[in-house]
Amino acid sequence: MIGKLRSVRLALAAAAFIGLGLPQAHAAKDSLVVDLVNEPSSLDPQVQWNPDSYYVYRNIFDNLVTRDDKGAIVPQVATSWRQISDTEIEFDLRGDIVFHDGSKLTADDVVFSVKRITDRAFASPQLGQFDKIVDAAALSPTKVKLVTAGPYPALLAQLVKLSIVPKAVVEAVGKDAFNLKPIGSGPYKFEAWQRGVQVTLTRNDAYWGTKGPFPSVVFRAVPDGATRLANLQAGSSDLIVTIDADQAAQLKNAPRAKALIGLTERVAYLRLNTTKPPFDNPKARLAAAHAIDKAGLIEGILGGHDKPVPELLTPAIFGWVDGIQAPAYDLAKAKALLAEIGPAAKAEIDLATAPVFDQRIVQAVQQMMTDAGFNVKIAMSDMASYLRRAQAGPEATSLLSFGRWSCACQDADGVLFPLLHKSSGWSAYRNPKVDTLLEEARATLDANKRLAAYKQVHEIVATDVPVVPLYQAVVIYGAAKNLEFTPTPNESMFINRMSWKD
Amino acid sequence: MPGFLLRRLGQAGVTILGVVTLIFFVQRLTGDPTYLLVPETATQADIDALRTALGFDRPLFVQYLDFLAELLRFDLGQSVVQRVPVTTIIASRMPYTLMLAAGALVVACGIGIPIGVLLALYRETLLAKFAAGLVLSAQSMPTFWSGILMILVFSVLLGWLPPSSTGGFSNLIMPSVALGLLSMATFARITRAALLDELSKDYARTARSRGVGTGRMLFRHLARNASIPLITVAALEISNLLAGAVIVETVFAWPGLGQVTVQAILARDFMIVQGVVLLGAFVTVFLNLLSDILYSVVDPRIVLEKAR
Amino acid sequence: MMRAAKTALRWWPLAILALAVLAAVFAPWLAPYDPNQQNLLGRLRPPGTTSRSFHYLLGSDELGRDLLSRAIHGARVSLVVAFASVVLSGTLGTALGMIAAYRRGWIEMIVMRVVDVFLSIPAVLLAIITVAVLGPSLLNVILVLALTRWPRYARVAYGQTLSVVNMPYVKLAALMGAGAWRILLRHILPNIVGAVSVVATLEFGLMILFEAGLSFLGLGVQPPTASWGAMLSTGRNYVSTAWWVATLPGFCLFVLVLAVNLTGDAVRDRLDPRLR
């Protein structure tokens, strides 16, 4: 494992060398400008869960472990780790990491970071990702032990998101001040936050790993997608987030911009409420699965970049099983199934969605289901109302809802459990067999056992259709022609993995 | 006069309390921000824990009293999303809002008032008709459409102006024009009406019959009297511009109060919304009061008692 | 001949309005296709192209729907929203303003303070908050606009009623035993309706733009309902590659609002004798 990792790091360092080694490339780009949708809500890595903040603070902080561009878990602060028992895991830490204020990163800082985020009184929105960790202890300045409540197979996947904050600084300045002036150990240092305007980071020239290619990086908030695209085309920004395939197509002939497209762990799905008509009838659910032309959605609307999936996961997630057979697109069969059901099939179905989702997909789904004989009405509400209703349980939630799921952990436990298990607000499905399988897969560290359990879940989903998995979503960035950057499955944006070619 | 002022101040207090109460309760009908704050994988227990920690599980009325108590201490509270004091957020956005409002006002008055004069004095000329059409056209386009067209033409195609965000004076031009065009017609209309009104009065007729030139008359007499309704409108427009520039700010990524408030509404970040609306109410009430007083300064005939 | 041309020129705003109303009323018969029928193989086609059974006279949108048909149906949303919200807010505001001025006392105080409260909150923000509460839909958009705009009418109606209520003929009517309702409707309303209409003409065009703005923020009518505002706000993402998607609804909105404003100006000139 370690040998492989070392070669990865060497490759990264080599790539950085090529990018940085040329002096004119260095001089040509002093500052990278990134257009986000909103400004970060906060730069303290432990008090929010918000993509625009994540893009920024992940460059300021190092995490215990991280993922490479392909999605494999690789060392960052921890160099290696071993499972001591079902509930204990030990990490060896790098000894040469220095925070931006000059102090050394030690095991105490790791323990402090774990305890801070798992402290209920701290009220971190991320608590749920780490609350299986019941204890953390420093065994030496470079060795840490974590204890979980029972076997917890997704632990490493969750630790990818654990940023290490400096204990001494946080304790000295307090939570509010740290939020205003965060200090980490990452490849970029926090420089300034002109609230509402931009966040500026400068390169950490003393960074232990791959150094950033740009002396400074500016993150701006540009809420309107059309404006972000115009900014890129006018050359006032170098990288923009959140554009769709049609906008990406506009960049095809652009003189100084291009689209960067990468498949992600995110899975798009339709969730059916299996407790109410018409979807309390398995035939109606099967009809819905046959009614949706996934390839048509992808080729027709999404520019052909996304990939249809037969199961409620994507190949970027642990738990993906090849060869699952999902109901294929077959309009005649869908109609026939609905005819068998009779008038009950005509019950009005509300399709819940929010403005952030791609309305073209939602409307196309409505059209496809209408063609099959369903009676579907779109119910759009703002995101807060959508989330509240989506998690209200089978009694109160909508009959049908469109969503795009990412647990940012690339583990089936973060997808299947919340969407199917009866204990979760998101689930509108009641199947004791599935519940048991999900609990089993969560309670063992044996990867093969877990895969076997998830395979059974996928098969049940394919035949009983509590959800219709649609496609593996892509993430699309707009970038300046000269910017080299590989989108990752977990949609992270590490500046020190980018390069600039003149 | 002091009696009148006291009464007006009392009314202003009631109004502001009403604004605050209305916004407090209407917002909370939509739930709270916890669902937006947590990751998808959060369980119901996690969500409930966060809700308790943020204080949203308390009875509404308790939260309301708490909020009022904080207000009395001049504390607008803290944003639950950004975890910084609301006053910090408002203070950082305020300069941009003022800049944009000033820019828009310059555009609106600079074009609207001359056209209004033109319309009053030379109503039947072709130029006047053209100007009238121009003013109305400018008002008839949604800003999210005219805004992006301006960006595409002047930034992407011609490269004359920066497409969005802040930085220098050139960044202010397009948003000011986009916003100013909307109120331009209002100013033209009021100017024209006020001038026609004055022109029909005896003193103006006499002056005209004595052969006083239009230009001289305009500056000597008309301007002063016709400025009264203009002041009122300007006062109303300023308060509209303060938080009403929502769409222009969104299109041009201009970090004003309107943009942050809409984001806060959608994020259920109640404290920011309350703070901004409270500030807006203060400004409106204050400007109304000020314009009443200005009335009496510009035109001593108006006695303050009469105003409402 | 010249004269006829001049008359025609003067009346074109009304003609546009009439055209929009006709399009709205007879949309199902006028539109060549179902406005919601998608054709994923014929997305973003320029005007004049044919794809499968569609002939896109004015092009197709991001889901291959016929833009002409959607524009015709879109007239319904704009007109219904503007008309209904103006009538609702106008009626409510006028009634409250009149009652406040006629009854005086605590009714006056409450109504006018509520008016102040509403006028002190920027209408856009109040509308966004209420749509978030109610959820976006055609009916809710109308209700929200009515709710946020009535104070403007109330203030005008209040002021006008105050100046009319002391006129001799109103006092005479009261002396002769006419009830409050009769006085308000028979004697006061006819005298203030002009001033209220002036506000209404200004508001009508504004409401059309307001609906479009809510659509831009994702808080307008429910998809897939064709609305010019929603069509324009999606179409603006494709301006550089498929200009027709935004241009058609943009043009419709612009011409309709301009016609409304021009008509409004003409009406105001008639109603307000000072401006003659």
Side-chain angles (χ1 to χ4, degrees), chain B residues 125-171:
Chain B
T125 62
L126 207 62
L127 184 66
K129 284 189 171 154
F130 177 75
L134 195 75
V135 163
L136 278 179
S137 304
Q139 199 191 22
S140 306
M141 229 167 154
T143 39
F144 62 90
W145 175 228
S146 56
I148 195 72
L149 287 185
M150 277 159 74
I151 293 178
L152 288 175
V153 172
F154 295 108
S155 305
V156 178
L157 207 63
L158 300 171
W160 290 352
L161 292 169
S164 76
S165 305
T166 59
F169 178 73
S170 56
N171 292 75

Side-chain angles (χ1 to χ4, degrees), chain B residues 77-115:
Chain B
Q78 218 196 17
S79 152
V80 291
V81 178
Q82 305 189 30
R83 307 220 180 179
V84 282
V86 170
T87 39
T88 311
I89 293 169
I90 292 181
S92 68
R93 303 283 185 146
M94 200 60 181
Y96 298 103
T97 284
L98 291 179
M99 263 190 264
L100 182 56
L105 215 57
V106 167
V107 171
C109 294
I111 307 177
I113 293 179
I115 287 183

Side-chain angles (χ1 to χ4, degrees), chain B:
Chain B
M1 174 98 180
F4 161 79
L5 265 184
L6 273 182
R7 207 175 66 230
R8 284 299 308 269
L9 281 177
Q11 285 178 359
V14 172
T15 304
I16 285 169
L17 184 70
V19 168
V20 163
T21 310
L22 183 75
I23 287 295
F24 184 93
F25 286 104
V26 170
Q27 277 199 95
R28 277 163 178 77
L29 290 176
T30 62
D32 60 51
T34 37
Y35 286 108
L36 285 165
L37 293 175
V38 297
E40 276 105 328
T41 47
T43 62
Q44 195 56 49
D46 297 331
I47 293 169
D48 291 342
L50 183 64
R51 182 171 293 137
T52 309
L54 296 175
F56 289 119
D57 60 331
R58 297 174 298 161
L60 260 192
F61 198 66
V62 175
Q63 294 185 45
Y64 177 62
L65 289 182
D66 214 40
F67 166 63
L68 286 188
E70 277 183 6
L71 267 192
L72 285 180
R73 293 195 299 268
F74 297 100
D75 182 359
L76 290 178
Q78 218 196 17
S79 152
V80 291
V81 178
Q82 305 189 30
R83 307 220 180 179
V84 282
V86 170
T87 39
T88 311
I89 293 169
I90 292 181
S92 68
R93 303 283 185 146
M94 200 60 181
Y96 298 103
T97 284
L98 291 179
M99 263 190 264
L100 182 56
L105 215 57
V106 167
V107 171
C109 294
I111 307 177
I113 293 179
I115 287 183
V117 174
L118 193 69
L119 287 178
L121 300 182
Y122 310 100
R123 172 147 57 146
E124 292 304 321
T125 62
L126 207 62
L127 184 66
K129 284 189 171 154
F130 177 75
L134 195 75
V135 163
L136 278 179
S137 304
Q139 199 191 22
S140 306
M141 229 167 154
T143 39
F144 62 90
W145 175 228
S146 56
I148 195 72
L149 287 185
M150 277 159 74
I151 293 178
L152 288 175
V153 172
F154 295 108
S155 305
V156 178
L157 207 63
L158 300 171
W160 290 352
L161 292 169
S164 76
S165 305
T166 59
F169 178 73
S170 56
N171 292 75
L172 184 59
I173 296 175
M174 285 200 292
S176 299
V177 171
L179 189 59
L181 289 183
L182 289 183
S183 351
M184 196 166 79
T186 314
F187 281 99
R189 203 172 277 140
I190 302 292
T191 308
R192 167 173 173 256
L195 273 183
L196 287 179
D197 207 22
E198 288 301 316
L199 279 173
S200 67
K201 285 185 180 155
D202 289 343
Y203 80 92
R205 287 191 181 157
T206 326
R208 257 192 172 171
S209 65
R210 282 208 204 122
V212 179
T214 320
R216 237 183 99 197
M217 219 175 64
L218 190 65
F219 288 105
R220 270 278 183 84
H221 308 282
L222 297 180
R224 187 185 166 99
N225 293 326
S227 62
I228 299 170
L230 268 175
I231 293 172
T232 328
V233 172
L236 276 175
E237 286 293 328
I238 287 176
S239 49
N240 269 343
L241 293 176
L242 277 182
V246 171
I247 288 174
V248 171
E249 288 177 5
T250 305
V251 171
F252 291 98
W254 187 263
L257 283 171
Q259 201 202 105
V260 80
T261 315
V262 169
Q263 280 159 10
I265 291 173
L266 296 178
R268 305 292 187 268
D269 200 347
F270 303 141
M271 287 301 180
I272 295 186
V273 182
Q274 278 156 199
V276 173
V277 169
L278 181 68
L279 178 79
F282 258 114
V283 172
T284 313
V285 167
F286 174 74
L287 285 177
N288 276 338
L289 203 61
L290 198 70
S291 77
D292 280 357
I293 295 170
L294 270 181
Y295 257 49
S296 65
V297 175
V298 177
D299 184 352
R301 285 172 303 174
I302 294 176
V303 188
L304 276 180
E305 309 297 327
K306 211 184 87 188
R308 265 194 303 162

Side-chain angles (χ1 to χ4, degrees), chain A residues 265-285:
Chain A
E265 62 170 301
R266 197 176 287 277
V267 57
Y269 63 91
L270 287 173
R271 190 199 59 185
L272 316 180
N273 189 339
T274 62
T275 64
K276 286 184 185 167
F279 293 133
D280 55 348
N281 186 335
K283 276 185 189 162
R285 303 204 292 268

Side-chain angles (χ1 to χ4, degrees), chain A residues 156-171:
Chain A
L156 280 177
Q158 299 290 16
L159 289 176
V160 167
K161 291 170 282 182
L162 183 77
S163 293
I164 308 302
V165 297
K167 179 182 183 200
V169 176
V170 175
E171 282 182 341

